Amino acid sequence: MTVIDALGVAPATTGWTPACRLDYLIPGRGVAVLLPGGAQAALFLLPEGTLYAVGNIDPFGRAAVMSRGIVGDRGGEPVVASPLLKQAFSLLDGRCLDAATESLPVYAVRVDDGLVSISDEPLVMAVNGIAA
């Protein structure tokens, strides 16, 4: 797993994990971030500058690989395709566009003074293709 270290930087408030400096991210490429309790997030910077974070565990292969997925769009919706079997997941709400029974958790992302942080708890968890 790729973890970008933000040494010496504490979260601005509780509930947020510092991931890395914004200028460390490469548009179209993901990085994995270890969250409290062992959860993992896949953080993506899209070419237009938007940041997204979803769960890093592929629900089909059960491997921590989503951060290595292929970023793109399907019908104008930003997606990441699993590097294993290529299922596409929405970066907006985590739902799998190829199998309605699977989804990824979605995490809030913020930038403070150039430091990207990810919420410790997921915002949205799509269940059977429906955001819960």
Side-chain angles (χ1 to χ4, degrees):
M1 173 171 77
T2 305
V3 177
I4 294 181
D5 192 7
L7 290 176
V9 179
T13 62
T14 58
W16 292 88
T17 296
C20 63
R21 304 243 4 120
L22 180 60
D23 57 4
Y24 289 178
L25 297 173
I26 299 170
R29 299 252 176 118
V31 296
V33 179
L34 185 61
L35 300 173
Q40 296 180 30
L43 173 64
F44 299 97
L45 172 64
L46 272 53
E48 74 277 357
T50 308
L51 289 165
Y52 294 100
V54 294
N56 194 40
I57 307 297
D58 180 323
F60 293 94
R62 305 282 186 231
V65 296
M66 294 308 297
S67 63
R68 298 184 182 271
I70 301 164
V71 176
D73 75 82
R74 189 178 283 180
E77 183 169 3
V79 298
V80 59
S82 169
L84 297 178
L85 298 173
K86 309 302 184 258
Q87 290 91 352
F89 294 86
S90 170
L91 290 172
L92 299 175
D93 61 16
R95 77 191 186 304
C96 181
L97 304 180
D98 299 314
T101 59
E102 300 297 337
S103 63
L104 298 173
V106 175
Y107 296 89
V109 180
R110 70 180 187 191
V111 180
D112 294 310
D113 294 326
L115 178 68
V116 180
S117 296
I118 300 175
S119 62
D120 292 342
E121 298 294 325
L123 287 178
V124 175
M125 182 68 157
V127 178
N128 295 327
I130 302 169

